[in-house]
Amino acid sequence: MSTADQATRPTPAKSHRWPRIWGPRFVKLLAFTALVTAYRFWVIHFSGISLFFDEAQYWDWSRHLDWGYFSKPPFVAGMIWLSTKLFGSGVLGVKALGMLTFPATALAMVGFARALWPTSGGVRTGIVAGGVYLSLPMVGLLSLVVSTDGPLLLCWTLAAWALWRAQLTNRLKLWALCGLICGIGVMDKYTMAAFALTAIWALWGIHGPQRGIARPGPWLAIIVAALVVAPNIWWNAQNHYPTFEHTAQLTAESGRSGGLGPTLVFLLGQVLMLGPVAVWAGLWLFKRPYAQIADTVPASQWAASSQMMPPSQWKSAPGTGTAKNSAHYFASVSSYRFLWATSVPLLLIAILQALRADAHVNWAAPAMIGLTMLIATRLSPPLVPIATPKPNRWLVGVIVSNLLLTSVVLHLHDLAGGKLPGRWDVMVRMRGWQEAFDALEPIWDDPATQGLPVLASQRLLITQAAYHWRSHKVKTYAWNPKGTRHDHYQLLYSFPNKVGQSVILVADNAHPDGILQRFGSARLLKSVKVAVAPDQAVEIHVFLLQGFLGYDALSYDEQTGNAGHQDPES
């Protein structure tokens, strides 16, 4: 062959171990992700909302980074610290990184799906799953609030991805990665610990007890996770385990009693989190026959590569000649069981909790990851040729209905012209705070208030005052006459029982007599009331209190040397 012929001969295409993710479909997902995320940033910016109580508390924690806090592990505070460093301490700056965890989870679903079904169809299933996930009402609402849920959902997805690859290949570095992700998830929210049930069920069901659990990999993952969580355990030990105790009390007790009614409400909440049309689509398409799915599994390079484990002790699938360690079995059977394993254990725990003592609707939020991907497998089956007709009308219906449902809920306040009762406004508790504290700003022009700490008897007021008066760098204290340890501020920032102090008191009623009586003088500085709904308002009263008399008469007598004399306020 001549040199000229060799030069014009086409170069053979390189073979790929994995199907490509990048392509027109993935670009569409990126565009959809950008639009939805931009819309949610717009909602926050133009709705006039401020920080929710928990957000303001997490922001306050972020100013004093530690390895733990009263009610939560430290990850959320660290995330907000980084977010404010990058984007400022405004409302969007506080929320930004937390909001971005949701599109990150949607994109991670694509890689997870490709690992489960290493075909072009599997990539398409992941893209569909990511699009459906971004449209979920659960995501539409949670993404407006920086909380532990966003990082938890991301860690759950990444941990499931790492676990699938680890159990498939038995590579120690993948086991270590799985443990690292689980540890980070636990440092965000203790709910991540429930992933252990997913892991045990999945490993036992896929490989059997010996090959599934009795091998070095899972134990390495446990060790790595324990090392990541160790600083939080140490912090709890140093502070008498407040986070563990709070979590146990929250799980064991609830504001309402459990029973059949709360359980049905919880289950209805799970349907609404996924979207009614999404649930119906999954059920309707569940038994849809796709032509010869089992016969269309490609003999991919992955199937015969060294990525597979050595032959399993489980010989073959019952009733088939398919080896349980084959690519065919993993892709067509084990992958689906694995997704159920990422959802069912946590759902069962939450249902039992609802029966016993009620359960919040978001307690089983990570279960939505596996359920969303299972719904995606019906909207876009991964193991059929990419050109096979898909129920695209169902896909459009699911995404559009979810987005419409979420938008109606978010804009119901505006659609009702401000006449919507507070109980129907999901953002009512984020309204009015900025206006109220703006109206209170003149109190700091009084020379008598300069440099004084802020005192309140409620965490809500402590955290909102700390955030909205952040430019004044106020120091906040909790009124705690009984010395209890029921929250972060009582634990670390109780108002010291030292006679003679002066403070700025922030209260939600005009006559906080129990506090006013323990000071020598009290002067009302300003009161504001901002209506946030026809039946609800933000009401704040600010007092200048001088000459603290101690929490009780005994404290006053001991500190002033007036034993036997009458307390001035007794």
Side-chain angles (χ1 to χ4, degrees):
M1 182 181 293
S2 66
T3 305
D5 291 338
Q6 291 179 351
T8 58
R9 185 178 180 180
T11 303
K14 293 182 179 180
S15 60
H16 294 277
R17 182 183 301 276
W18 298 98
R20 292 177 55 192
I21 287 179
W22 185 264
R25 293 185 181 88
F26 189 70
V27 171
K28 290 179 182 178
L29 176 62
L30 290 178
F32 179 68
T33 300
L35 286 173
V36 170
T37 304
Y39 162 73
R40 287 165 182 166
F41 273 95
W42 176 85
V43 168
I44 292 173
H45 182 68
F46 288 99
S47 63
I49 62 174
S50 183
L51 298 184
F52 182 59
F53 156 63
D54 284 341
E55 295 176 289
Q57 179 175 242
Y58 300 153
W59 171 85
D60 197 22
W61 292 356
S62 74
R63 300 190 298 164
H64 313 282
L65 293 179
D66 207 339
W67 286 113
Y69 301 93
F70 180 86
S71 59
K72 293 289 187 296
F75 185 90
V76 66
M79 180 178 66
I80 292 175
W81 174 86
L82 180 59
S83 189
T84 54
K85 292 296 181 183
L86 294 173
F87 307 109
S89 59
V91 172
L92 280 175
V94 173
K95 295 174 180 280
L97 281 186
M99 294 178 68
L100 292 177
T101 59
F102 292 94
T105 301
L107 298 179
M109 283 182 163
V110 182
F112 183 21
R114 186 179 69 160
L116 291 169
W117 309 287
T119 65
S120 296
V123 172
R124 186 181 190 274
T125 301
I127 291 171
V128 168
V132 171
Y133 173 79
L134 283 174
S135 76
L136 296 184
M138 172 193 74
V139 173
L141 298 179
L142 289 179
S143 62
L144 300 184
V145 181
V146 57
S147 69
T148 54
D149 289 316
L152 174 65
L153 290 164
L154 177 58
C155 287
W156 196 276
T157 306
L158 294 175
W161 183 0
L163 176 61
W164 176 260
R165 294 290 301 133
Q167 61 83 27
L168 193 69
T169 66
N170 208 26
R171 290 181 175 177
L172 291 181
K173 65 180 182 181
L174 289 174
W175 286 113
L177 177 62
C178 182
L180 174 64
I181 296 169
C182 288
I184 294 172
V186 173
M187 291 291 271
D188 172 69
K189 191 173 185 178
Y190 290 157
T191 303
M192 188 71 201
F195 190 79
L197 296 178
T198 283
I200 293 172
W201 186 8
L203 294 175
W204 191 298
I206 293 174
H207 296 288
Q210 182 175 346
R211 184 169 292 275
I213 300 172
R215 49 176 164 162
W219 299 101
L220 175 62
I222 292 172
I223 292 171
V224 171
L227 290 174
V228 174
V229 178
N232 180 247
I233 297 175
W234 174 255
W235 181 90
N236 271 276
Q238 296 297 105
N239 292 276
H240 308 289
Y241 300 99
T243 319
F244 295 168
E245 182 179 343
H246 171 79
T247 303
Q249 290 178 348
L250 187 65
T251 304
E253 302 173 5
S254 180
R256 297 174 294 172
S257 60
L260 182 59
T263 303
L264 293 176
V265 171
F266 172 78
L267 291 174
L268 177 61
Q270 305 311 297
V271 173
L272 293 177
M273 286 171 70
L274 283 168
V277 177
V279 174
W280 179 251
L283 294 174
W284 181 262
L285 298 172
F286 181 72
K287 293 184 179 180
R288 175 171 179 153
Y290 287 98
Q292 304 298 322
I293 290 180
D295 295 334
T296 59
V297 182
S300 66
Q301 196 173 29
W302 166 78
S305 74
S306 60
Q307 296 293 307
M308 294 298 297
M309 287 181 59
S312 170
Q313 64 173 6
W314 285 30
K315 297 179 181 179
S316 62
T320 73
T322 303
K324 284 197 170 185
N325 70 305
S326 71
H328 181 288
Y329 191 77
F330 274 113
S332 62
V333 179
S334 295
S335 58
Y336 292 90
R337 293 179 178 176
F338 185 81
L339 290 175
W340 284 113
T342 63
S343 302
V344 172
L346 186 58
L347 271 176
L348 289 177
I349 292 173
I351 290 171
L352 291 175
Q353 170 65 19
L355 285 168
R356 182 182 180 278
D358 203 3
H360 295 290
V361 69
N362 68 319
W363 282 4
M368 300 299 109
I369 299 296
L371 294 179
T372 299
M373 294 193 68
L374 285 166
I375 290 173
T377 64
R378 310 319 302 160
L379 297 170
S380 177
L383 299 179
V384 300
I386 196 69
T388 301
K390 313 285 193 309
N392 289 328
R393 290 184 178 180
W394 274 107
L395 173 59
V396 172
V398 167
I399 292 178
V400 171
S401 64
N402 278 349
L403 292 178
L404 284 176
L405 175 60
T406 307
S407 297
V408 168
V409 170
L410 293 179
H411 297 289
L412 201 56
H413 174 82
D414 300 320
L415 294 173
K419 298 180 180 180
L420 184 70
R423 67 180 180 276
W424 298 109
D425 184 0
V426 297
M427 297 192 290
V428 69
R429 289 189 287 177
M430 293 182 277
R431 301 188 191 277
W433 293 106
Q434 187 65 57
E435 295 85 346
F437 280 96
D438 284 347
L440 293 169
E441 190 68 22
I443 71 167
W444 296 105
D445 296 332
D446 188 337
T449 65
Q450 300 301 312
L452 291 182
V454 171
L455 175 67
S457 61
Q458 298 170 289
R459 281 185 301 153
L460 172 64
L461 294 176
I462 293 173
T463 56
Q464 294 290 3
Y467 178 72
H468 290 94
W469 284 338
R470 60 191 180 279
S471 62
H472 300 285
K473 300 180 179 179
V474 296
K475 188 171 185 177
T476 55
Y477 285 112
W479 179 255
N480 191 14
K482 296 183 179 180
T484 55
R485 293 159 43 98
H486 294 157
D487 60 54
H488 173 78
Y489 296 95
Q490 288 184 354
L491 178 67
L492 298 177
Y493 300 105
S494 289
F495 185 59
N497 192 14
K498 184 179 179 181
V499 170
Q501 300 175 85
S502 298
V503 296
I504 300 295
L505 174 66
V506 179
D508 62 355
N509 68 85
H511 304 285
D513 296 333
I515 299 177
L516 300 183
Q517 292 172 0
R518 299 312 306 165
F519 286 82
S521 67
R523 173 163 62 97
L524 177 65
L525 295 177
K526 193 172 180 64
S527 296
V528 297
K529 187 174 183 178
V530 179
V532 295
D535 56 349
Q536 198 166 333
V538 171
E539 183 176 356
I540 304 177
H541 306 271
V542 181
F543 300 82
L544 172 62
L545 306 183
Q546 296 175 309
F548 182 47
L549 303 175
Y551 281 124
D552 50 39
L554 179 61
S555 299
Y556 177 82
D557 291 342
E558 289 178 346
Q559 294 183 45
T560 60
N562 290 331
H565 294 76
Q566 187 176 16
D567 177 3
E569 293 297 326
S570 63

